[in-house]
Amino acid sequence: MFLTISTTGSAERPATDLGFLLHKHPEKAQAFSTSYGTAHVLYPEADARRCTAALLLEVDAVALVRRGKGKGRGGAPDAALAQYVNDRPYAASSLLAVALSGVFSSAMRGVCAARPELPEQPRPLRIEVPALPARGGPELVRRLFEPLGWEVTAEPVALDAEFPEWGDSRYVRLVLEADTLTLAEALRHLYVLLPVLDDAKHYWVASDEVDKLLRAGEGWLPAHPEQKLITSRYLSRRWSLTRQAMERLELVRLAEADDSDVEEIDNAVAAETESEEKPTPLAVQRREAVLAALRACGAARVLDLGCGQGQLVQALLKDPSFTEIVGVDVSMRALTIASRRLKLDRMGERQAARVQLFQGSLAYTDKRLKGYDAAVLSEVIEHLDLPRLPALEYAVFGAARPRTVLVTTPNVEYNVRWETLPAGHVRHGDHRFEWTREEFRAWAAEVAGRHGYAVEFVPVGPDDPEVGPPTQMAVFTAGTVKEAKAA
């Protein structure tokens, strides 16, 4: 089982930078033990103009069977001889994908301590896999790799070169070439798509495979046109895991909606409502309203659920009364941007101790969310399909149960005041609904009643006497007997 990764360079940007990225020195041949054989890394060529790293995986078929993994697709045992005589030592499969993850783990994460600027730099890449099983043929190979920016060559391998009339096998010789991808992106593509093309895994697929898929597919899988096929095959067609993964990928897609579009709409609305002086953007008014409500309830430990790119977290950090701030989002891309916005890598020790960012889905209960004074859901609920709201409701109000919960959402009645918004359109393409004031208050009252909260409503932005404010906010307070009331 064999794979090569090549790149080209110049005296100013030598190709041997590949050694830094892979954390494997070009002048050394290294071997790594695995539970199913030995992985070798060597460099057939390495100079400033061209560098090639090769991964050779020697599979011990006997060891693989003894580990209890000599199973065919679907878990049915292979015939006794087939467990020992098969394509696993020769064809790229999940074995090679796991070896890539183990041997090049830092490269796959985009980490290079010696040269931290290298991982984010796209470079010319050429990847060759001499024997790749492809259930679906060369056409499927192209459908999987071309949307990711690869130029794909997938040549069918004949069953027997001496007898061409026998036709082609299910294997292809694969060559991938690209100039716009980073090495980390390339490795993550291979890690997911090699077992997808083989349509089989050499190990039992458990629930943690969903997390592995989302980590490796972050940044490209949510928008891939073959997302459903990739997800199903990667998870060995286990329907419950596939459904869970598809739901989380949809949440990622929604979370990665461009915040700048929302800001642009907010600015346009504010500009139309205030013509004589420069208006305060609605997004800023919303954050100020949230901050005022948090101060009023005396919250010190705050959750920003669906924190996006960290605007609210940044505002919270400026007030020392908020002693612990946690931003949660399903999108690693958004969290990465938030980390850069907050300059976490350069933040002082005392300030850094106040803030934490982590990935999580609001559709599932999470023990990490328990015990906080307040939680904020700012412009989050409208990005979910209505049937998904009960799951979010239970995760936040039932399981996490902070003392105060703030929920902001657009007021659809106000949309008629915006000349730039066509009639019948929602404010953002990813909004699944936008509620009237009556609909929002009815939902909030039901949630409060079910979970023992009182709720009050606060207008955000100019409160129009006919259609109300552009944003509506509900303030839920636990452990009280006050009746819900309107502002």
Side-chain angles (χ1 to χ4, degrees):
M1 197 181 298
F2 191 67
L3 175 147
T4 61
I5 303 171
S6 302
T7 187
T8 56
S10 62
E12 296 77 20
R13 192 184 180 192
T16 48
D17 283 348
L18 183 64
F20 286 101
L21 287 166
L22 293 174
H23 296 257
K24 305 293 181 288
H25 200 289
E27 295 182 4
K28 298 179 181 179
Q30 297 177 263
F32 304 86
S33 296
T34 71
S35 56
Y36 45 81
T38 304
H40 301 269
V41 177
L42 59 149
Y43 288 77
E45 56 183 344
D47 56 42
R49 292 183 176 275
R50 184 175 175 84
C51 186
T52 297
L55 175 63
L56 172 64
L57 185 60
E58 291 184 305
V59 176
D60 184 341
V62 175
L64 194 62
V65 174
R66 285 176 177 171
R67 291 181 64 241
K69 302 301 182 182
K71 303 291 183 182
R73 184 166 27 137
D78 292 330
L81 180 61
Q83 295 186 57
Y84 297 93
V85 182
N86 51 50
D87 67 353
R88 287 298 178 246
Y90 314 105
S93 64
S94 61
L95 290 167
L96 186 58
V98 171
L100 280 171
S101 176
V103 175
F104 300 139
S105 58
S106 296
M108 189 174 293
R109 297 196 311 270
V111 175
C112 181
R115 300 278 301 280
E117 77 281 1
L118 290 181
E120 295 185 1
Q121 297 175 358
R123 61 189 56 251
L125 292 172
R126 178 183 173 92
I127 295 174
E128 296 187 47
V129 184
L132 173 68
R135 295 183 187 273
E139 177 58 31
L140 179 60
V141 178
R142 286 187 283 270
R143 281 163 40 204
L144 294 181
F145 282 102
E146 285 181 348
L148 302 175
W150 292 103
E151 182 180 333
V152 180
T153 301
E155 300 176 351
V157 176
L159 280 171
D160 193 316
E162 295 185 6
F163 299 95
E165 65 273 14
W166 288 6
D168 295 328
S169 68
R170 71 181 185 95
Y171 304 92
V172 299
R173 173 182 173 270
L174 176 66
V175 178
L176 302 172
E177 295 178 287
D179 295 323
T180 60
L181 297 173
T182 65
L183 179 64
E185 290 172 326
L187 292 175
R188 290 196 293 266
H189 295 167
L190 292 169
Y191 175 76
V192 173
L193 297 181
L194 290 181
V196 166
L197 285 165
D198 188 24
D199 199 13
K201 282 197 170 184
H202 71 281
Y203 57 88
W204 174 251
V205 174
S207 58
D208 62 341
E209 290 296 300
V210 175
D211 294 327
K212 294 179 184 178
L213 174 63
L214 266 64
R215 282 197 298 269
E218 201 267 324
W220 62 271
L221 184 55
H224 197 292
E226 298 293 340
Q227 178 200 100
K228 186 174 182 179
L229 180 144
I230 293 169
T231 303
S232 175
R233 286 194 176 191
Y234 183 88
L235 297 170
S236 295
R237 304 178 188 270
R238 293 190 61 189
W239 168 239
S240 61
L241 297 182
T242 301
R243 181 176 60 185
Q244 178 184 341
M246 293 293 290
E247 289 176 353
R248 290 176 62 181
L249 285 167
E250 177 64 8
L251 289 174
V252 170
R253 187 189 69 79
L254 295 175
E256 290 184 345
D258 190 354
D259 284 353
S260 64
D261 290 346
V262 179
E263 296 277 349
E264 183 178 344
I265 292 173
D266 289 344
N267 291 343
V269 176
E272 290 174 6
T273 57
E274 297 285 349
S275 58
E276 295 184 357
E277 58 183 31
K278 187 175 181 179
T280 301
L282 183 56
V284 174
Q285 296 182 56
R286 191 160 48 233
R287 283 194 290 273
E288 290 176 346
V290 168
L291 290 169
L294 291 172
R295 294 184 185 110
C297 72
R301 304 175 66 240
V302 179
L303 294 167
D304 182 7
L305 304 178
C307 66
Q309 298 180 4
Q311 292 93 334
L312 179 59
V313 174
Q314 187 177 42
L316 290 166
L317 276 170
K318 295 177 181 179
D319 188 335
S321 65
F322 301 114
T323 58
E324 185 177 350
I325 304 154
V326 176
V328 183
D329 204 280
V330 73
S331 168
M332 281 303 300
R333 175 178 176 271
L335 292 173
T336 299
I337 295 172
S339 178
R340 292 173 182 167
R341 176 191 295 274
L342 300 172
K343 299 180 174 62
L344 291 183
D345 57 338
R346 288 176 280 172
M347 190 176 287
E349 185 176 346
R350 292 184 62 182
Q351 188 79 330
R354 296 174 57 210
V355 64
Q356 182 183 3
L357 301 177
F358 62 74
Q359 185 183 31
S361 169
L362 302 182
Y364 302 93
T365 59
D366 191 332
K367 293 180 180 179
R368 296 174 296 179
L369 305 183
K370 291 185 177 180
Y372 286 85
D373 298 331
V376 179
L377 290 159
S378 182
E379 308 301 285
V380 171
I381 61 172
E382 65 272 10
H383 288 277
L384 297 177
D385 291 318
L386 285 170
R388 306 288 301 281
L389 277 183
L392 176 145
E393 172 194 331
Y394 178 75
V396 176
F397 294 90
R401 195 167 179 79
R403 190 174 69 236
T404 300
V405 181
L406 308 181
V407 180
T408 76
T409 193
N411 168 24
V412 71
E413 296 170 80
Y414 193 89
N415 290 358
V416 297
R417 294 289 186 259
W418 300 358
E419 296 179 3
T420 57
L421 187 65
H425 284 235
V426 293
R427 300 183 193 180
H428 191 278
D430 278 323
H431 286 186
R432 298 311 174 92
F433 63 87
E434 288 179 358
W435 275 332
T436 64
R437 287 169 291 172
E438 182 179 353
E439 289 170 329
F440 180 54
R441 294 183 182 199
W443 172 80
E446 290 178 3
V447 171
R450 277 193 292 268
H451 299 284
Y453 283 78
V455 61
E456 298 182 1
F457 300 93
V458 178
V460 179
D463 195 358
D464 188 286
E466 294 182 2
V467 297
T471 295
Q472 44 193 340
M473 179 167 71
V475 180
F476 296 84
T477 306
T480 68
V481 297
K482 293 187 300 181
E483 296 182 355
K485 63 180 181 179

